[in-house]
Amino acid sequence: MTRYVVTFDTPDFAVLQDEAPELLSSEGISTERYYPRLGIGIVDSDADELQTFSARCRDRNRPVTFTPELTYYAIEEPSQFTDTDQLTWGLQAIGIDRARDAGHTGAGVRVAVLDTGVNLDHPDFTSRGITAESFIEGEGPHDAHGHGTHCIGTACGPWETDAGPGYGVAPEAEIFAGKVLGDDGTGSDSSILAGIDWALQHDCQVISMSLGADVREVHPPYVAAGRRALELGSLIVAAAGNNAQRSAGNFGFVGAPANSPHIMAVAAVDSALRTAEFSARSLPHEGGEVDLAAPGVDIHSAWTGGERYRSISGTSMATPHVAGIAALTSGATGARGQELWDALIASTTALEGEPSEDVGAGLTVIPELAEPRAS
Amino acid sequence: MPEQKREWVVTLDDNYLDRIDQIVAELERAGLRVERVLATIGQVTGCTTVAEPTQGSIEDPCRERMTVITGVLSVDAVRQFSAPSPDSDVQ
């Protein structure tokens, strides 16, 4: 049985009002959804039955046409952002203007980025007071890799530069750059946990970790570290992982430490607000869910080694967007720890067509923030 | 006999965070060479050396001794984490 639209092709209203419904009924077709003013009925039938009906109507000089019912969709402008001279697409997508209009810059908020360190020579950061510390034996806090600088740029970089688009969410947040990954990009629990401890000692409201291991199992030390951090008023956000290859049917999984219950896992979306090709999907265990999504494809930010900027992709890039939004939110509302976690979840836009296993609560955006009171 | 170095993260029970120094001393007695004492998150990292087992046994006497110390919640082998190589398309 299929739904059809049956149309009586006559201008004679008397026919449409009286004769047409009788013809339908005598064929055993319900007139429940027959509209006499239009001479149109919606019926559940099949092609054979309607062919017979149509022939019978033709014989009586009451021609009908029938066609399968169509489904209609609201026409929406597809989301598609692009870098402009003023702002990266990522900043546009998260609604950076809400922060700019209200004057919220993350001032007074301490953001720790635990990564490959920071490019202390970068022109966009020379005027920022950055606290940098290395937890890698034999290496100082300077970033020779680039990854750490890029993440710091996204979380805390400028809204405006003299050489390209603004690319940072919280431009006046206090930066704590903890080098927990060596110049080769690797690090162990000892350095990462030491970095978390250091960030807590400095009372950082936000800890951003764009690092991971492709292991499904929750790693126990991060359960305790994450819980204690929340209790002490520090929110840890981590990259969900890049182990998916969605075009090949592999949805990946959230690795450690993001799969830990007290650490937020951030997935990546592209400029059309679709889950990125590489972005890992939620694990079924508690804590293994993707919590939020943020811009993570072709993200322009600061780099190292004389290369001022680079555009790269990863859940590593999505994570500092959330860290920056957390910084702005904490700065504006005073929210910390679990309260800040809840505020971020509440400040999301649902993404049409993207399941929660991929994007959690949705795209993290800057909430409406009251203007700072004059002090 | 060849020796194997193993790295560990020892997580303390919530109720024993204020006795971390005492527990560190006991961990050392159990054979842990302490690298870092992370008082704020209540964890201790360090390494043990164990004689390489000839029969492939996975028992580690040091780990066993550390696990039974009062105030120790868990003893976990250290994991490696990474950011992708800088030339990788996906970071």
Side-chain angles (χ1 to χ4, degrees), chain A residues 62-338:
Chain A
R62 299 283 178 256
V64 296
T65 55
F66 62 92
T67 180
E69 188 186 49
L70 297 177
T71 306
Y72 294 85
Y73 301 91
I75 296 174
E76 283 171 355
E77 282 304 313
S79 304
Q80 187 76 41
F81 292 94
T82 186
D83 287 354
T84 64
D85 290 338
Q86 288 74 44
L87 292 174
T88 57
W89 81 259
L91 290 191
Q92 295 169 51
I94 64 170
I96 196 73
D97 285 337
R98 276 192 288 281
R100 302 208 309 181
D101 293 346
H104 286 287
T105 60
V109 180
R110 291 166 297 283
V111 177
V113 177
L114 305 183
D115 207 292
T116 58
V118 63
N119 175 7
L120 295 159
D121 300 323
H122 197 284
D124 293 349
F125 292 96
T126 46
S127 60
R128 301 283 287 278
I130 299 178
T131 307
E133 182 122 352
S134 173
F135 299 94
I136 302 293
E137 208 174 301
E139 290 182 22
H142 179 78
D143 179 13
H145 183 292
H147 192 264
T149 302
H150 198 276
C151 293
I152 287 170
T154 298
C156 307
W159 284 342
E160 282 168 18
T161 83
D162 58 359
Y167 57 91
V169 179
E172 290 184 7
E174 237 180 287
I175 300 169
F176 286 77
K179 184 165 179 166
V180 304
L181 302 175
D183 292 333
D184 66 351
T186 70
S188 72
D189 288 330
S190 342
S191 17
I192 295 162
L193 292 167
I196 294 173
D197 193 79
W198 170 77
L200 294 179
Q201 281 173 44
H202 285 280
D203 196 32
C204 292
Q205 287 94 329
V206 185
I207 299 176
S208 190
M209 305 204 302
S210 291
L211 49 86
D214 287 341
V215 290
R216 285 183 162 79
E217 297 74 37
V218 173
H219 194 28
Y222 293 95
V223 179
R227 180 172 51 78
R228 286 167 185 164
L230 281 181
E231 285 165 5
L232 291 169
S234 184
L235 177 67
I236 304 179
V237 297
N242 303 331
N243 55 26
Q245 244 193 306
R246 287 163 179 268
S247 56
N250 174 7
F251 296 96
F253 58 87
V254 178
N259 64 14
S260 208
H262 307 296
I263 292 178
M264 287 195 115
V266 184
V269 291
D270 61 23
S271 59
L273 303 185
R274 297 243 167 277
T275 306
E277 163 73 6
F278 50 78
S279 189
R281 177 167 275 191
S282 298
L283 281 168
H285 74 245
E286 194 192 325
E289 314 88 359
V290 168
D291 293 292
L292 303 163
V297 176
D298 296 331
I299 303 301
H300 170 96
S301 182
W303 202 251
T304 196
E307 199 178 326
R308 190 164 173 181
Y309 303 113
R310 196 182 267 202
S311 198
I312 54 175
S313 307
T315 52
S316 289
M317 281 66 252
T319 304
H321 278 95
V322 175
I325 294 170
L328 296 180
T329 304
S330 188
T333 65
R336 296 188 66 156
Q338 187 63 49

Side-chain angles (χ1 to χ4, degrees), chain A residues 135 145 147 181 185-194 197 200-201 211-213 215 219-222 224 227-228 232 242 256-257 278 310 312-314 316-317, chain B residues 7-15 17 35-43 45-46 73-74 76-91:
Chain A
F135 299 94
H145 183 292
H147 192 264
L181 302 175
T186 70
S188 72
D189 288 330
S190 342
S191 17
I192 295 162
L193 292 167
D197 193 79
L200 294 179
Q201 281 173 44
L211 49 86
V215 290
H219 194 28
Y222 293 95
R227 180 172 51 78
R228 286 167 185 164
L232 291 169
N242 303 331
F278 50 78
R310 196 182 267 202
I312 54 175
S313 307
S316 289
M317 281 66 252
Chain B
E7 286 190 81
W8 304 100
V9 181
V10 180
T11 302
L12 269 60
D13 184 282
D14 281 346
N15 298 315
L17 298 186
E35 277 170 5
R36 288 188 170 110
V37 177
L38 307 176
T40 316
I41 52 171
Q43 286 168 342
T45 60
L73 187 65
S74 69
D76 298 288
V78 156
R79 287 206 159 278
Q80 287 290 316
F81 293 85
S82 69
S85 93
D87 300 320
S88 166
D89 282 333
V90 176
Q91 298 275 335

Side-chain angles (χ1 to χ4, degrees), chain A residues 47-69:
Chain A
D48 288 343
E49 187 182 36
L50 289 176
Q51 283 287 14
T52 309
F53 178 67
S54 173
R56 207 163 283 163
C57 292
R58 204 168 43 241
D59 288 344
R60 295 186 190 193
N61 205 28
R62 299 283 178 256
V64 296
T65 55
F66 62 92
T67 180
E69 188 186 49

